[in-house]
Amino acid sequence: MKLTPLLPIAFIALLGSCVSSPPPAPKDTSQETKPAATAPASTNSASKDRAIALVQGGGSSGSTAPAGAAPAGTAARPAASPAETVDMPPPAPGVMTPEEEAFLNNYLARLQYMVYYDEAAGIDAKSAKVAVNQANRYLIEKLGLSVVDFDQIEKNKKDQQTAYQAETGGSIDLIQYLAQKYNADVYVELSFSSTSSASGGKFYASAQGSMKIFDTSTAQLLGSVAFQSPQVMSTSSTESAIGNAVAASVWSAMPKMTDQTKVLVKNSMSRGIRYEILIQNTPDSRQMNNLRRALARVVREVEQVSYSPSETRMALYTFKSRDKLEDAMYDAADRAGLLDIYLVYSRGKAFTFNSGL
C-alpha cells in the first residue's frame, strides 16, 4: 500500500491553515528601551510615533522623543521672552530710569541762563547794565557758565528784528526769541528800583526788586526771587552809590535764584525736556499720524499741537539732548516713510523740518 499521494494533500492543508490564521506580531527587538510613560500601547500608535519623529527630523531608528523635547540632532531653543515679542511700555509718569536720572542731573548742573532787565519797568539804562553784568559775573565766577553779554543782547535786538519777524511773526517776545537763539534754558528778567540820599558830602543808596525766571521754550514763569540791599555809601556821586547798591543786591540774590531755578526746572521736567517740532508741507494726515506713533516709541510723550496740509506742529517730551532728538526724528521719519525729510533750521529747543513731500 502506497502513502505517497497523501503527503501533498497534508502539505496543502497545513499551508491553508497558516494563511487563514495570521501569526501574532513579532516582538519588537529594538535596542532602545522606551520609558514606560512613553511606550506605545499598540502597533498603530508606535507607527504614528515613528512617523512624527521622521517629520520632525528624527532618525529612522523608531525611537520617539518625550513630549516637548527637541527633535533628535537639534539644539533646544529657549522660549521667546516677552521682551523679544512685545514693546516694553515707557516708564510711568514721574518715574525715571537710571539713565534719565543721570541725564537730568547733568542737565541741571549745566543750565544756561540769559539775564536781561524788564524794559517796561522804566529802569535807568546804566543801572540796568550794572545789574545784568553783576548777574553774569556770578554765573561766570561761581558756576563757570558761559553768558550772553548785555551789549551783545542790545546789538542783536536791532540786528535780529528782520529774522525775528520772519520766523515768529511777533508771536513770542523778542527777548524770548533771543534766549532761544542763544540756546538758553531759562532767561531771567530783572526789575528793581532804588532810593538815594546825600549827607555831609557822602552819598547813600539802597535797591530792591525781583528776579523773574522764565522757561525759554514756553515763556512760562517758573518763579521769582525778591532782593533788597542794605544802604550803601559812596564818596563820589549818587550814581555811584546807586550802582553799588544794585550790584550788591543782585549778587546776594544770585545763589537763591540759581538754586530755585534748578528745583523749578526739575519739577517742570517730570515728562522730560519739551521740544517744539514744526513740519512744513504735510498733505497726508495719515503719514503724520504714522510719524507721531513712530516718535512715541523713542520719546517720553508726543503731543500733536495742530495739523494742516501746509504744516504740522508737535511737542515732544524726552530726556535727550538736542542732537539725539534730531537723530530720533530722522529714524522715526524713516519708519513712517518720510525718507526725504530735512531740517530747515533750529532755534533753542524748537526745530523746523520740511517733509520733503
Side-chain angles (χ1 to χ4, degrees):
M1 182 176 177
K2 294 182 181 180
L3 299 177
T4 305
L6 296 176
L7 291 175
I9 298 173
F11 177 77
I12 293 171
L14 178 62
L15 180 62
S17 65
C18 291
V19 171
S20 61
S21 178
K27 187 175 181 180
D28 188 2
T29 59
S30 174
Q31 294 181 355
E32 277 190 71
T33 302
K34 293 179 173 53
T38 60
S42 65
T43 303
N44 289 339
S45 63
S47 299
K48 290 180 181 179
D49 289 343
R50 284 194 295 272
I52 291 172
L54 289 172
V55 171
Q56 292 179 342
S60 59
S61 63
S63 62
T64 57
T74 60
R77 290 171 59 89
S81 66
E84 294 175 340
T85 57
V86 181
D87 289 339
M88 296 300 290
V95 178
M96 289 183 286
T97 65
E99 293 78 10
E100 291 174 338
E101 284 273 11
F103 176 87
L104 179 57
N105 291 334
N106 186 49
Y107 179 85
L108 294 174
R110 298 187 302 169
L111 279 177
Q112 295 296 312
Y113 301 80
M114 191 185 87
V115 183
Y116 200 57
Y117 72 100
D118 182 2
E119 296 177 280
I123 301 171
D124 175 70
K126 290 184 178 180
S127 296
K129 185 173 182 178
V130 168
V132 172
N133 287 345
Q134 189 73 339
N136 286 339
R137 176 173 162 246
Y138 180 91
L139 295 173
I140 295 170
E141 295 181 4
K142 297 298 183 181
L143 301 182
L145 300 175
S146 58
V147 300
V148 185
D149 182 66
F150 179 88
D151 293 331
Q152 188 177 359
I153 297 175
E154 290 287 281
K155 181 177 184 299
N156 277 281
K157 282 171 59 181
K158 300 175 182 178
D159 296 345
Q160 295 289 328
Q161 279 288 345
T162 302
Y164 162 68
Q165 288 295 336
E167 292 182 25
T168 70
S171 60
I172 64 175
D173 186 75
L174 176 58
I175 298 303
Q176 180 191 357
Y177 171 79
L178 292 177
Q180 292 179 352
K181 292 285 285 186
Y182 293 127
N183 293 327
D185 299 299
V186 295
Y187 65 94
V188 181
E189 189 177 76
L190 305 179
S191 179
F192 57 88
S193 60
S194 61
T195 56
S196 60
S197 61
S199 176
K202 296 179 181 180
F203 306 91
Y204 301 90
S206 62
Q208 53 280 324
S210 66
M211 298 179 176
K212 291 183 178 179
I213 307 160
F214 295 91
D215 180 88
T216 301
S217 297
T218 63
Q220 177 186 359
L221 177 64
L222 298 176
S224 180
V225 175
F227 60 84
Q228 183 170 359
S229 73
Q231 190 175 64
V232 298
M233 183 269 293
S234 172
T235 58
S236 59
S237 66
T238 299
E239 184 180 275
S240 176
I242 292 174
N244 291 340
V246 169
S249 59
V250 169
W251 183 271
S252 64
M254 285 299 291
K256 185 177 180 181
M257 186 277 290
T258 54
D259 288 345
Q260 181 171 318
T261 298
K262 291 178 183 179
V263 173
L264 294 170
V265 170
K266 185 175 183 178
N267 291 340
S268 70
M269 287 177 59
S270 60
R271 296 187 292 175
I273 301 172
R274 185 180 192 274
Y275 291 95
E276 296 180 1
I277 306 296
L278 187 152
I279 306 169
Q280 300 171 339
N281 189 25
T282 56
D284 189 342
S285 62
R286 180 171 295 184
Q287 203 162 32
M288 288 300 101
N289 186 50
N290 291 338
L291 175 61
R292 178 179 57 79
R293 288 187 293 173
L295 283 168
R297 297 169 58 186
V298 293
V299 301
R300 269 293 186 121
E301 191 172 334
V302 182
E303 291 180 358
Q304 184 160 316
V305 179
S306 64
Y307 169 80
S308 72
S310 60
E311 67 176 35
T312 297
R313 292 180 181 271
M314 298 182 185
L316 308 184
Y317 296 86
T318 182
F319 292 96
K320 296 180 185 290
S321 65
R322 295 174 69 254
D323 293 340
K324 295 294 184 182
L325 181 74
E326 186 178 347
D327 293 341
M329 275 294 301
Y330 290 130
D331 292 342
D334 287 347
R335 289 195 295 272
L338 294 166
L339 303 181
D340 296 323
I341 195 171
Y342 61 91
L343 180 67
V344 178
Y345 63 84
S346 63
R347 184 183 67 249
K349 297 181 181 66
F351 292 81
T352 296
F353 292 88
N354 190 292
S355 68
L357 297 176

